[in-house]
């Protein structure tokens, strides 16, 4: 089962349609999934999940950064995690990285700087961006992709934890599919 | 949260409004009328009837007119949103963008500049599933413009119902017509739905059509009890 986490300012918000349902529609084609708001995640949810996807939020919605204690489970989780935009920022904060102000809105060229199965086979592609913050990773992470403005994809060096700044649900569904196809432990 | 909904009177803005009203406090509709029939951002047929539709929905309408030049009309959209901020204290904007990155990017940038929330509750929806839900919720809309092959004159004024949707799905397979008109293949005008306190009755309309392009121009419409 894949756990899809709604990162929005409140449960069952207007953002659910925009940032969570499009990801669920991609996952639905191949896998079972559950959607939960970050405020309601419990130990059972985490233990029963083969993979976890942390979704994005509205541009003005950074409320999740005030509730980092809800994401402490990321430190112990052994299975693959994909953080999208807000999800990437949470992964970064929980695992000791910095957040800085970097804004991109709309389509941006992404350059792959290190090959990995998540972005396999591509050298560059255009992706949809919607962020005012970005991540400065620690040495625990490797950088997989960049734009002219900021780091676009990171992967933890010892765990299958990924962060992507662009929104793959727009024109790049293949990234989510690659994540779904990762082995449970990798 | 107080929200203003960008409102053209077509199915996407009405459905976005419906979703916004389920979740937040919609305090006004915002309508841009473009003098340019080829407007990149703003739907044009029957835009003058948004006032009547707003009355039917019982929401105030903020209107603004633009010349419809490609990027200049975005300044006018910003002015309209600023007017809604002043008059209705909105904290965010809702749009009916479905797949258009062009449209959503520009609205997101304006909201970001103005410090407003931006919501797109139809974003990346499955086109056919969205249309099915629109119809099953009881929205009533007619096709108010066609702008692509193979639409003939009979499509103008036609109700959006299950039969119409099935034909649009066939046209999608044969000619790659978007079943929601996302590529500008057709436009719609909504007369009734779950958010309408009264319904709009079309009293007089005419068709203007040539070479797979035409509009269903509503000359006279009125509100009637449901």
């Amino acid at each position: 089962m894949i756990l899809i986490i709604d990162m929005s300012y409140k449960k069952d918000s207007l953002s659910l349609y925009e940032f969570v349902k499009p990801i669920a529609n991609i996952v639905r084609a191949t896998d079972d999934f559950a959607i939960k708001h970050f405020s309601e995640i419990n130990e059972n949810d985490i233990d029963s999940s083969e993979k976890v996807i942390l979704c994005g939020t509205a541009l003005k919605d950074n409320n999740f950064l005030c509730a980092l204690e809800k994401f402490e489970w990321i430190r112990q989780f052994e299975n693959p995690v994909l953080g999208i935009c807000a999800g990437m920022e949470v992964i970064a904060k929980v695992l000791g990285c910095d957040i800085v102000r970097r804004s991109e809105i709309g389509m941006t060229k992404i350059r792959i700087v290190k090959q990995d199965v998540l972005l396999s086979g591509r050298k560059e592609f255009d992706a949809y961006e919607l962020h005012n913050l970005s991540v400065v990773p620690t040495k625990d992470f490797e950088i997989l992709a960049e734009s002219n403005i900021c780091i676009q994809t990171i992967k933890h060096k010892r765990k299958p934890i990924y962060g992507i700044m662009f929104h793959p649900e727009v024109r790049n569904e293949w990234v989510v599919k690659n994540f779904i196809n990762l082995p449970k432990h990798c | 949260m107080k929200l203003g909904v960008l409102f053209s009177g077509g199915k996407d803005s009405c459905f976005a409004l419906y979703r916004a009203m389920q979740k937040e406090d919609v305090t006004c509709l915002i309508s841009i009328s473009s003098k340019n029939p080829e407007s990149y951002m703003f739907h044009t047929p029957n835009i003058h009837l948004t006032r009547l539709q707003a009355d039917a929905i019982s929401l105030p309408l903020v209107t603004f007119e633009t010349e419809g030049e490609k990027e200049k009309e975005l300044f006018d959209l910003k002015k309209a949103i600023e007017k809604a901020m002043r008059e209705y204290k909105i904290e965010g904007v809702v749009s009916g963008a479905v797949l258009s990155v062009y449209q959503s990017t520009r609205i997101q940038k304006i909201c970001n500049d103005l410090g407003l929330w931006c919501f797109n509750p139809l974003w990346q929806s499955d086109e056919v599933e969205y249309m099915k839900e629109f119809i099953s919720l009881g929205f009533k809309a007619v096709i108010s413009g066609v702008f692509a092959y193979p639409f003939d004159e009979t499509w103008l004024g036609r109700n959006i119902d299950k039969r119409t949707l099935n034909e649009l799905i066939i046209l999608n397979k044969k000619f790659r017509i978007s079943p929601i008109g996302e590529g500008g293949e057709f436009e719609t005008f909504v007369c009734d739905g779950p958010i309408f306190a009264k319904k709009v009755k079309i009293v007089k309309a005419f068709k203007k059509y040539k070479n797979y392009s035409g509009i269903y121009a509503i000359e006279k419409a009125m509100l009637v009890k449901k």
Side-chain angles (χ1 to χ4, degrees), chain A residues 14-39:
Chain A
L14 194 50
S15 288
L16 185 75
Y17 299 110
E18 188 171 351
F19 297 100
V20 182
K21 293 282 175 76
I23 296 295
N25 286 341
I26 301 168
V27 175
R28 178 179 284 117
T30 52
D31 285 77
D32 292 333
F33 67 92
I35 296 173
K36 276 215 141 183
H37 189 258
F38 74 83
S39 61

Side-chain angles (χ1 to χ4, degrees), chain A residues 9-10 12-19 22 25 58-63 103 105-107 128 130 132 169-171 173, chain B residues 1 3 16 19-20 22-24 91 94 99 101 104-105 108-109 112 115-126:
Chain A
Y9 59 104
K10 65 179 182 183
D12 199 25
S13 74
L14 194 50
S15 288
L16 185 75
Y17 299 110
E18 188 171 351
F19 297 100
N25 286 341
L59 201 47
K60 201 172 162 61
D61 183 358
N62 293 319
N63 288 12
S103 183
I105 300 172
M107 298 305 290
Y128 185 70
L130 193 62
N132 281 324
E169 67 273 24
V170 183
R171 300 187 181 181
E173 294 186 5
Chain B
M1 191 186 305
L3 299 176
R19 284 191 166 164
Q22 306 292 306
K23 307 284 186 187
E24 300 289 348
E91 301 160 86
V94 179
L99 297 171
V101 165
S104 73
T105 297
Q108 290 279 4
K109 283 181 177 174
N112 196 43
L116 292 172
W117 289 72
C118 183
F119 296 102
N120 300 279
L122 308 187
W123 190 232
Q124 304 299 302
S125 293
D126 179 276

Side-chain angles (χ1 to χ4, degrees), chain A residues 53-90:
Chain A
I53 300 175
L54 302 153
C55 296
T57 63
L59 201 47
K60 201 172 162 61
D61 183 358
N62 293 319
N63 288 12
F64 54 89
L65 289 175
C66 302
L68 290 175
E69 71 282 2
K70 299 286 184 187
F71 301 95
E72 280 296 315
W73 54 268
I74 293 172
R75 294 177 190 276
Q76 283 80 41
F77 194 63
E78 298 292 332
N79 294 340
V81 180
L82 177 66
I84 298 168
C85 198
M88 179 186 190
E89 292 163 18
V90 153

Side-chain angles (χ1 to χ4, degrees), chain B residues 11 46 131 134-135 139-146 150-171 186-191 202 205-207 214-218:
Chain B
K11 62 177 171 43
N46 303 307
M131 286 293 269
F134 179 84
I135 294 165
F139 280 101
K140 306 290 180 196
V142 295
I143 292 183
S144 56
V146 293
F151 288 118
D152 63 23
E153 196 172 348
T154 65
W155 282 86
L156 293 171
R158 186 168 168 176
N159 291 321
I160 300 276
D161 54 19
K162 284 181 186 172
R163 192 172 137 253
T164 301
L165 175 58
N166 287 337
E167 288 186 41
L168 288 169
I169 292 168
I170 291 168
L171 293 183
F186 64 91
E187 298 285 356
T188 58
F189 176 85
V190 179
C191 301
I202 299 171
F206 69 90
K207 298 176 183 180
I215 58 165
Y216 182 70
I218 300 169

